[in-house]
Amino acid sequence: MAAKEDLHDQAGNSEILCNILRISPSSGLDDKSIGARELKALALKDSTKVADAGAIPHLVALLSADTPSVIQEDVVWALGFIALRSSVNQGKVAAAGAIPPMVALLSASTPASVQGATACALGFIVAMNPDNQEKVASAGAIPSLVSLMSSCTPAPMQAISAHALEHLSLDNSDNQGMVASAGAIPLSVASLSADNPAHVQGMVANALACLVANYPENQGMVASAGAIPLLVALLSADTLAHVHDTSASAAKSSLLVLADLVADNPENQEKVASAGAISFLVALLSASNPALVQSNAAEVLANLVADNPKKQEKVASTGAISFLVALLSASNPAHVQMNAANVLVNLVADNPENQEKVSSAGALPALVALLSARTPPLVQERAAVALGYLVENHSGNRVKLALAGAISPLVALLSASNQTSVQVQAAKVLAYLAASNPDNQCKAVSAGALPPLVALLSASTPPLVQEWSAVALGYLVDNHPGNQVKVASAGAIPLLVALLSASSQSSVQVEAVRALGNLGAGSPVNQGMVASAGAIPALVACLSATSAPRMLETVACALHNLVADNPVNQGKVASTGAIPSLVALLSASTPAHVQENAAVALRSIAANNPENQGKVVSAGAIPLLIALLSANTPALVQNRAACVLSSLVARNPANKDKVASAGAIPPLVVLLSSSTPAHVQTEAALALGLLVVNNPANQGKAVSAGEIPPLVVLLSASTPAIVKQRAACALGHLAQNNPGNQDKVASAGAIPHLVVLLSSSTPAHVQKEAALALVLLVVNNPANQGKAASAGAIPPLVVLLSASTPAIVKQMAACALGHLAQDNPGNQGRVAAAGAIPPLVALLSDSNVADVQQEAACALADLVVNNPANQVKVASANGIPPLVALLSTGCQAVVNETVVESLKHIASCSSHNRKIMAAADVFTLLVGLMTDPRASIAILSAAPLIVMALLSDPCVRIVFSSATPFLPLHALLHINSPEHALVGTASVLSHLASIGPSVRRELAAAGIIPRLMAVRRAARSYPRQVQLQLDMLHVSLQDVCSCPDCVSNRKRVNGQTLHEGSSTSVLKPPVATTSAAEPVDSEKLMQELLEEEEREKAMKEAKAKAKKEKKQRQKGKKKGKSKEEQLAADQVSEGGGKNTEKQLMQLQPAGRSASKLQGICRLIFVRLCAAHLGRADLPRSGGMSEASPQAAADPSEALNYVQSQRSLAPSLPSLLDLPTQIISDILFI
């Protein structure tokens, strides 16, 4: 077989050589003619062999003018065929000098057949050969070829000339211009007429396609010459009937021209659409058409709808989308898939409606399939671009695309082996998929997106890939703490910081800044890592290194994210000089979006940071911020400016004064108007609230600026909830500790609006602020208490105490109810009648929030003060056990104080309440509070009163068996103990000692007496009240005390000593009556005391006038005394009397004489003791029943009874406290 092929080649070569010899100069014309004709045929068959055999120079020689035209024609064709599709042969033909003589053959004097052959051959010679294009154009061929396009030239000649001009102009802008300048465009357009055959129209259209490609001037000329309607006409049904005939069909060529004409040219797009092209183009997408036609039609449509919403809508409405989706299938050629994807890209770009239509047509799975590794890179890229547009602003498509399985192939496209453009688009789609979609963020990370994305940040990666990798990472970590940690762990932070260097492109820097900001947002760990990587100085440097708004706003936003709630980074940012740079961005010359982000950054830098607050103010921010509050500032900037002012004045009294003095309050008040957007009203109200809180001067300025009326208006039903919340808060702060403003706010009608906001339909955060505002309006203001109650505030507040209400709302509701009831008997009854007590009691135990428990306890305290009915209701609601339980939970001091205050009032209500408290082990808890080194005066004052009330109750005393719970109190009997602690401890132990001998012995065994004696020895330096209570405790413990006075008294009581010469016998043990002790009428007793005091006064005046009366008084005579005093004195021995007189002289209050005080005290206590013990031989008010042998003989019981009578006569505290020191003497003698 090989031998036969060699013989065949040899025969072919011999034939070529033979024909070359025929066209030699020495040959005759006939031989030359035969040789040229044969070489033409041989060249058409195998141009390379002819060229290699050396035929070209011989053929060129025959192009001379003296060669007959018939031979020239064959020679031209032979040269054309030799050059056809062979760049090497094209070069050989040109090198042989063929071009100039061939161009000469285009002259009008040349026969038409030769002209046509030459034009065709020149087309072959220049095709895809820039050098030959230039040579042919330089030889002057273009004008001659253009002239052959005239209407007088036969159609085939026009077609051949158009073919030559097509190849001369292809990708050659110089030649495109020269051809157009030679007038080819109008002639070409004329050749598109229906009079010409389809193949002529097609070749002319091909020429026009090359003339307009990437040449806007020619595009305009073609459109102006009226080509568009003719080109569109070639797409008609009649023309399409020939679409399968040849690749040069008119329709295919027309599509090429139209694609270029409409690219980025709205005017031509309109002309093409107006010519009715869209329906033809859509029809060409059908499966019945050749792939090339489908591809070209798709290309025209892609260019037609680009950035043209009207055309996008029109194309979508013609049903093109379903055809385009079908063209994406794997069975179609790559160029068809690519152009179909391009149309989809341009249809859905910034067009949500079309995005939905394309998604619904099933494009997402088809596009995802094109991402596979088997797909050509260019198709992968276009598919990714289409997917990017479909999901960029369409949250629903993000979900659908992830479900279609796009994430894994997209991650695969990030690999280093893929083209840059593919990596870019893959990163872009991943970024869009992750935007505001936590599920996709997780899926991308799980699919392994982080390693390749981080790797693409390296310095060796092209900038565009770095940029979109940073974008993707930024979206993956946005509001996703888990991914923030993973991206940081993957090593992204140092690489991102490196991209901030000046050598990076600005777009890369911007996205690196954004990613760093998102990495640090809300993550203290990442904030620290970003700062440690040196990002903060680099970011601050970017502020001064550029004036690009996009960079400035992104840096400001990143700084905000890095310093928010991070004091360390706040300090670092401030120390790098960022504050002045950011303040400068607030100036009027800065774009609004930059001002906005600069303000956000300043707010975070200053938040809760007094030092930075000062630096921001020192940098001159206040005037600039106030200027941004003006009416001509965009609303969002006004919002941010108000935010910064809030941040500057929060917990900063100095800045409050500075901001107010700079004139911020009036423009802030203006922003409260109904014409202002809600988000601006919100921040203005917040700023005003912070400016006036605890600042009387600013409260006055705000009221003078007219703040109250617009704030009240903002409480209306039509206002957004957040605005209502801030308005209520601001009104509350205006009224706080300001009675005048309380009245003004109430007069402005705020209270009914606030009451409405307490309803269950109101959001919790609004309910909370409304309740708090009511608290601040009614506290210490009876008038407003009444207005709030009249406005119906109590029932909704009670409803807010329910279990389903958030804790903070329950807290405020309880607080409001408490302040409504405080010192207001009417409201106490209304609150109780509204059913508040049971839920308040429930809050004491059901809530785990100390603040809620505190407010519930406070509210109950306010309800029970001086209100026996409510005291009973609290007890009936089983409120005592949870109140007592609160004392054991380690609550804050204020909670304990409140609980103790409540228990004090409840204990005074009934014996039943006191029994419940005792059963709840309140003694141990109260003692624990008293012995706590942190115990407040309120605790030390109220706790002993509760204990004494309980110990004075016989029902409690019956079950009381041990002093053990009180033994820790002995630690308070110390010279270093606070005075209140000593008073309370002595009072409690005195009551405790009165219970009985066993308790006193228990106290003595615990070592209380030595500590008491040591404190009493130092009592001279204490106030009188302390001395009195310590002496009372000593008297209570006489029977177990070993001091000389107590031993002496015990001997007298036992009958071991009698006063010398006294006729008074020792008192026998008291005998009780058959009836219970009668209660003492305190008011009647008070009147008797006053009368006795007057008599004593008259007696003293008489005695003072006579020395004799003084001498008789010293001798113990009884002249001038009342019957009651005489009887008491008769019962006291001389020693006892002296002892009592001595105690009385030490303890008497200033301004009272010993004799008068002694008489009054004896009168009171003799009567009290007689009433309790049933002593028939001692006088008492009312009748005395007969003695009973069952009467108690223990004097301590009488002492306890006397002490319990204090609660019956609160108007006589000094009289009832003081004489208890001598009770034992009176009783024992």
Side-chain angles (χ1 to χ4, degrees):
M1 179 65 72
K4 290 183 178 180
E5 290 179 356
D6 291 341
L7 291 173
H8 180 73
D9 290 341
Q10 292 175 2
N13 291 337
S14 299
E15 186 180 2
I16 292 171
L17 293 173
C18 180
N19 285 301
I20 290 174
L21 290 174
R22 287 177 176 175
I23 63 172
S24 62
S26 60
S27 300
L29 291 176
D30 291 339
D31 286 337
K32 290 180 180 179
S33 177
I34 295 170
R37 186 167 60 250
E38 291 297 326
L39 286 172
K40 176 181 73 172
L42 290 170
L44 183 60
K45 184 178 180 182
D46 193 338
S47 60
T48 300
K49 287 184 179 181
V50 174
D52 291 345
I56 294 175
H58 296 285
L59 290 169
V60 171
L62 293 178
L63 293 176
S64 62
D66 57 350
T67 302
S69 60
V70 66
I71 298 176
Q72 289 176 328
E73 180 179 351
D74 288 334
V75 169
V76 168
W77 279 116
L79 288 171
F81 292 148
I82 291 171
L84 182 63
R85 299 186 186 91
S86 174
S87 58
V88 175
N89 289 352
Q90 287 173 334
K92 291 180 178 180
V93 170
I99 291 176
M102 291 181 70
V103 171
L105 293 177
L106 296 174
S107 66
S109 61
T110 305
S113 61
V114 179
Q115 288 177 323
T118 303
C120 186
L122 286 173
F124 295 154
I125 291 171
V126 301
M128 306 295 292
N129 194 312
D131 291 338
N132 285 358
Q133 285 176 332
E134 183 180 354
K135 290 177 181 178
V136 171
S138 300
I142 291 176
S144 299
L145 290 169
V146 170
S147 66
L148 295 177
M149 295 287 297
S150 66
S151 57
C152 60
T153 305
M157 184 65 74
Q158 294 176 3
I160 293 173
S161 298
H163 175 263
L165 291 172
E166 170 194 345
H167 289 294
L168 274 170
S169 303
L170 182 63
D171 298 328
N172 192 312
S173 58
D174 291 337
N175 286 357
Q176 285 175 314
M178 292 173 66
V179 172
S181 299
I185 290 177
L187 296 175
S188 298
V189 171
S191 298
L192 294 175
S193 67
D195 297 336
N196 282 326
H199 72 278
V200 175
Q201 293 172 326
M203 297 188 74
V204 171
N206 282 339
L208 287 173
C210 291
L211 283 172
V212 300
N214 302 314
Y215 205 112
E217 292 181 10
N218 286 0
Q219 292 170 358
M221 292 174 66
V222 169
S224 300
I228 291 177
L230 297 173
L231 291 166
V232 172
L234 296 178
L235 304 178
S236 65
D238 293 338
T239 306
L240 291 177
H242 304 285
V243 78
H244 298 283
D245 295 345
T246 174
S247 61
S249 67
K252 296 177 184 177
S253 303
S254 174
L255 291 171
L256 295 175
V257 182
L258 290 173
D260 286 323
L261 286 178
V262 298
D264 302 320
N265 193 315
E267 184 179 355
N268 285 354
Q269 289 171 349
E270 187 61 38
K271 290 179 179 179
V272 170
S274 300
I278 292 178
S279 59
F280 295 143
L281 292 168
V282 173
L284 291 176
L285 298 176
S286 68
S288 60
N289 289 308
L292 186 59
V293 174
Q294 293 172 324
S295 179
N296 290 348
E299 184 179 2
V300 178
L301 284 172
N303 292 344
L304 183 63
V305 300
D307 301 319
N308 195 319
K310 291 183 178 179
K311 301 303 175 291
Q312 290 170 349
E313 181 180 356
K314 191 169 185 179
V315 169
S317 65
T318 61
I321 292 176
S322 58
F323 287 122
L324 292 166
V325 172
L327 294 179
L328 299 175
S329 69
S331 61
N332 285 310
H335 62 88
V336 177
Q337 294 171 327
M338 183 184 71
N339 283 325
N342 270 336
V343 184
L344 292 174
V345 165
N346 292 340
L347 278 175
V348 301
D350 302 320
N351 192 316
E353 185 177 353
N354 281 356
Q355 290 170 359
E356 188 63 35
K357 289 180 179 178
V358 170
S359 174
S360 300
L364 294 179
L367 289 167
V368 170
L370 295 180
L371 300 177
S372 69
R374 298 186 302 273
T375 306
L378 194 56
V379 180
Q380 289 176 327
E381 178 198 3
R382 300 321 296 168
V385 171
L387 290 172
Y389 278 117
L390 283 169
V391 300
E392 180 179 6
N393 298 308
H394 198 295
S395 58
N397 281 350
R398 291 178 200 149
V399 176
K400 293 178 182 178
L401 185 56
L403 293 175
I407 293 178
S408 293
L410 286 168
V411 171
L413 294 180
L414 298 174
S415 68
S417 61
N418 284 302
Q419 293 182 1
T420 296
S421 59
V422 176
Q423 292 173 323
V424 168
Q425 296 305 326
K428 185 181 294 188
V429 180
L430 284 171
Y432 294 153
L433 280 171
S436 303
N437 192 307
D439 287 341
N440 286 354
Q441 288 173 323
C442 292
K443 288 179 180 178
V445 172
S446 299
L450 295 186
L453 285 172
V454 172
L456 293 177
L457 298 175
S458 65
S460 60
T461 306
L464 192 59
V465 181
Q466 290 176 326
E467 176 185 346
W468 280 103
S469 296
V471 173
L473 289 171
Y475 277 121
L476 284 172
V477 301
D478 190 24
N479 294 317
H480 197 293
N483 282 0
Q484 285 178 323
V485 173
K486 292 177 181 177
V487 170
S489 300
I493 291 176
L495 293 172
L496 288 168
V497 173
L499 293 180
L500 301 181
S501 66
S503 61
S504 299
Q505 291 186 3
S506 60
S507 60
V508 178
Q509 289 177 321
V510 168
E511 297 307 331
V513 169
R514 195 188 313 277
L516 286 169
N518 289 351
L519 269 169
S523 173
V525 174
N526 281 4
Q527 286 174 335
M529 292 177 67
V530 172
S532 299
I536 290 178
L539 289 170
V540 175
C542 289
L543 288 176
S544 56
T546 182
S547 60
R550 186 176 173 223
M551 173 63 83
L552 292 173
E553 68 172 312
T554 308
V555 171
C557 183
L559 289 173
H560 152 68
N561 287 338
L562 291 175
V563 304
D565 301 318
N566 192 311
V568 175
N569 282 1
Q570 282 179 327
K572 290 181 179 179
V573 169
S575 64
T576 57
I579 291 177
S581 299
L582 290 168
V583 169
L585 296 180
L586 300 176
S587 66
S589 61
T590 306
H593 54 91
V594 179
Q595 292 174 325
E596 172 197 343
N597 283 283
V600 170
L602 287 170
R603 178 192 63 184
S604 298
I605 291 171
N608 302 316
N609 191 311
E611 183 178 356
N612 285 358
Q613 287 173 336
K615 290 181 179 181
V616 173
V617 171
S618 300
I622 292 177
L624 295 173
L625 291 167
I626 293 174
L628 293 179
L629 300 176
S630 64
N632 59 351
T633 304
L636 198 54
V637 179
Q638 291 174 324
N639 172 295
R640 300 299 189 238
C643 283
V644 182
L645 289 173
S646 297
S647 183
L648 290 176
V649 303
R651 301 181 184 85
N652 194 315
N655 280 359
K656 287 181 186 179
D657 296 336
K658 291 177 182 178
V659 170
S661 299
I665 291 178
L668 286 169
V669 171
V670 171
L671 293 181
L672 299 176
S673 68
S674 58
S675 61
T676 305
H679 65 90
V680 180
Q681 292 173 326
T682 300
E683 297 306 329
L686 175 61
L688 286 167
L690 292 173
L691 277 167
V692 302
V693 64
N694 297 322
N695 192 308
N698 287 355
Q699 287 174 333
K701 291 179 181 179
V703 171
S704 299
E707 179 181 351
I708 293 177
L711 285 174
V712 173
V713 171
L714 292 180
L715 299 176
S716 64
S718 59
T719 308
I722 185 63
V723 181
K724 293 177 186 175
Q725 175 193 2
R726 296 291 170 78
C729 182
L731 286 170
H733 288 321
L734 275 174
Q736 188 174 12
N737 301 320
N738 193 318
N741 282 359
Q742 282 180 324
D743 296 337
K744 291 176 182 177
V745 172
S747 299
I751 290 178
H753 288 295
L754 292 170
V755 171
V756 170
L757 296 181
L758 299 175
S759 68
S760 58
S761 60
T762 305
H765 60 91
V766 182
Q767 292 173 326
K768 175 247 181 183
E769 291 299 341
L772 178 57
L774 284 173
V775 169
L776 297 175
L777 282 168
V778 304
V779 63
N780 299 323
N781 193 312
N784 283 356
Q785 286 177 326
K787 290 180 179 179
S790 299
I794 294 174
L797 285 170
V798 173
V799 172
L800 293 179
L801 299 177
S802 65
S804 60
T805 306
I808 186 62
V809 181
K810 287 190 281 195
Q811 176 188 350
M812 288 300 107
C815 183
L817 288 169
H819 283 289
L820 280 170
Q822 188 176 28
D823 301 325
N824 191 314
N827 280 357
Q828 282 179 326
R830 295 184 185 98
V831 172
I837 290 177
L840 285 171
V841 169
L843 292 182
L844 298 177
S845 55
D846 292 348
S847 175
N848 293 320
V849 182
D851 291 337
V852 178
Q853 294 171 322
Q854 171 188 336
E855 294 303 338
C858 287
L860 289 171
D862 290 325
L863 284 169
V864 301
V865 172
N866 300 323
N867 194 312
N870 283 356
Q871 293 167 2
V872 171
K873 289 181 180 180
V874 171
S876 300
N878 200 26
I880 296 175
L883 279 171
V884 174
L886 280 182
L887 299 179
S888 64
T889 58
C891 294
Q892 298 177 1
V894 65
V895 179
N896 288 332
E897 292 173 7
T898 303
V899 172
V900 169
E901 185 67 20
S902 299
L903 291 174
K904 181 184 74 174
H905 291 287
I906 294 172
S908 68
C909 173
S910 70
S911 177
H912 175 70
N913 291 354
R914 293 189 284 272
K915 287 171 63 179
I916 296 174
M917 290 184 194
D921 196 23
V922 73
F923 293 123
T924 301
L925 298 174
L926 290 173
V927 169
L929 290 179
M930 293 176 63
T931 54
D932 189 336
R934 300 166 297 178
S936 63
I937 294 176
I939 292 289
L940 294 174
S941 300
L945 295 179
I946 299 174
V947 175
M948 290 187 288
L950 268 62
L951 293 179
S952 300
D953 191 313
C955 295
V956 175
R957 292 162 63 96
I958 289 174
V959 299
F960 192 88
S961 59
S962 172
T964 301
F966 298 93
L967 296 182
L969 287 176
H970 81 282
L972 294 179
L973 293 175
H974 192 277
I975 58 174
N976 294 326
S977 294
E979 295 172 3
H980 285 83
L982 286 172
V983 171
T985 300
S987 300
V988 170
L989 294 177
S990 295
H991 274 69
L992 189 64
S994 70
I995 293 176
S998 61
V999 174
R1000 291 192 292 274
R1001 287 193 294 272
E1002 193 174 354
L1003 292 175
I1008 285 180
I1009 292 177
R1011 300 180 71 92
L1012 172 62
M1013 301 308 291
V1015 174
R1016 288 188 71 212
R1017 284 194 292 271
R1020 296 176 182 176
S1021 62
Y1022 292 154
R1024 192 154 203 62
Q1025 183 184 14
V1026 180
Q1027 298 178 32
L1028 292 176
Q1029 295 297 343
L1030 292 173
D1031 287 341
M1032 288 172 59
L1033 176 57
H1034 182 219
V1035 171
S1036 301
L1037 296 171
Q1038 284 186 79
D1039 62 340
V1040 292
C1041 180
S1042 58
C1043 71
D1045 289 340
C1046 291
V1047 172
S1048 175
N1049 282 339
R1050 286 198 299 273
K1051 289 180 180 180
R1052 289 199 306 274
V1053 171
N1054 293 329
Q1056 296 174 4
T1057 60
L1058 286 173
H1059 187 275
E1060 216 174 276
S1062 172
S1063 59
T1064 306
S1065 60
V1066 178
L1067 292 175
K1068 296 179 180 181
V1071 180
T1073 63
T1074 55
S1075 61
E1078 299 179 17
V1080 178
D1081 187 337
S1082 300
E1083 296 299 327
K1084 185 176 179 180
L1085 181 58
M1086 178 65 179
Q1087 184 63 33
E1088 292 177 3
L1089 286 172
L1090 294 175
E1091 293 174 357
E1092 183 65 27
E1093 186 175 2
E1094 291 297 325
R1095 290 196 299 272
E1096 184 71 17
K1097 180 179 181 180
M1099 180 186 68
K1100 181 178 180 181
E1101 290 176 351
K1103 290 179 181 180
K1105 294 178 182 179
K1107 295 181 179 180
K1108 184 178 179 180
E1109 292 178 352
K1110 181 178 180 181
K1111 183 177 180 181
Q1112 291 175 344
R1113 193 165 48 253
Q1114 292 173 343
K1115 292 180 179 181
K1117 293 184 179 181
K1118 284 78 177 181
K1119 296 177 72 175
K1121 295 182 180 179
S1122 65
K1123 294 179 180 180
E1124 291 82 353
E1125 288 178 319
Q1126 183 68 42
L1127 181 58
D1130 290 342
Q1131 304 298 323
V1132 182
S1133 67
E1134 183 176 353
K1138 289 182 179 179
N1139 185 42
T1140 301
E1141 184 74 9
K1142 181 179 180 181
Q1143 293 174 353
L1144 197 59
M1145 292 300 292
Q1146 292 176 347
L1147 302 174
Q1148 63 178 327
R1152 293 188 183 274
S1153 67
S1155 60
K1156 178 179 70 174
L1157 187 60
Q1158 183 181 33
I1160 294 173
C1161 291
R1162 287 180 176 176
L1163 173 63
I1164 295 172
F1165 287 99
V1166 167
R1167 289 189 176 186
L1168 290 175
C1169 294
H1172 183 68
L1173 299 175
R1175 292 287 296 273
D1177 56 342
L1178 294 179
R1180 61 186 178 88
S1181 62
M1184 175 64 68
S1185 58
E1186 295 182 2
S1188 169
Q1190 288 81 21
D1194 191 344
S1196 63
E1197 183 177 346
L1199 176 62
N1200 178 59
Y1201 176 78
V1202 171
Q1203 290 170 333
S1204 70
Q1205 300 309 306
R1206 290 192 179 96
S1207 62
L1208 301 178
S1211 60
L1212 299 173
S1214 60
L1215 292 177
L1216 294 174
D1217 282 343
L1218 179 63
T1220 55
Q1221 313 303 315
I1222 63 173
I1223 295 174
S1224 294
D1225 288 312
I1226 296 173
L1227 295 175
F1228 291 175
I1229 294 172

